[in-house]
Amino acid sequence: MSTYPSRPVLVAAIGSRCPYCGEPMACSLRHPSRDHIRPRSRGHALTADNQAVVCRTCNTDKGSLSLGRWLNRLRRAADPRAGNVADFMRQTGIEVPG
């Protein structure tokens, strides 16, 4: 059995808000996608607790960065998503960098 959010889960997320940017996930740029919270490219597991449904725009922007490194980059750029990302990290038990 796959640990990925299933297609019905992604379809059901249409219209809900991205936990990273807070925008509704609906159009092609903000279509729901699967994000590995801790990047697989950095050796982290393909498990359900390491995945989130986020908009494609945020997922692409985060790329293979950890949430902490991406948050630091967002803060340096004064990106308004930084607050949402920090909140998401707190809610999922990930340490928020200073």
Side-chain angles (χ1 to χ4, degrees):
M1 185 167 127
S2 174
T3 58
Y4 275 114
S6 66
R7 181 158 178 75
V9 169
L10 294 174
V11 170
I14 293 173
S16 64
R17 297 199 175 271
C18 172
Y20 295 166
C21 68
E23 294 294 323
M25 294 186 280
C27 69
S28 62
L29 292 176
R30 297 229 181 263
H31 194 75
S33 65
R34 301 171 186 105
D35 178 42
H36 293 98
I37 297 167
R38 294 168 200 87
R40 289 189 64 216
S41 64
R42 299 185 185 265
H44 294 282
L46 176 62
T47 57
D49 66 338
N50 188 33
Q51 296 175 42
V53 177
V54 302
C55 77
R56 183 177 298 159
T57 300
C58 287
N59 197 2
T60 300
D61 188 46
K62 177 182 168 276
S64 64
L65 294 174
S66 68
L67 277 176
R69 286 184 182 211
W70 189 47
L71 175 59
N72 286 335
R73 193 182 88 197
L74 294 173
R75 286 175 171 167
R76 281 192 307 274
D79 190 307
R81 296 177 292 180
N84 288 343
V85 172
D87 289 344
F88 177 83
M89 291 174 72
R90 284 184 201 96
Q91 291 168 4
T92 55
I94 299 170
E95 185 176 342
V96 178

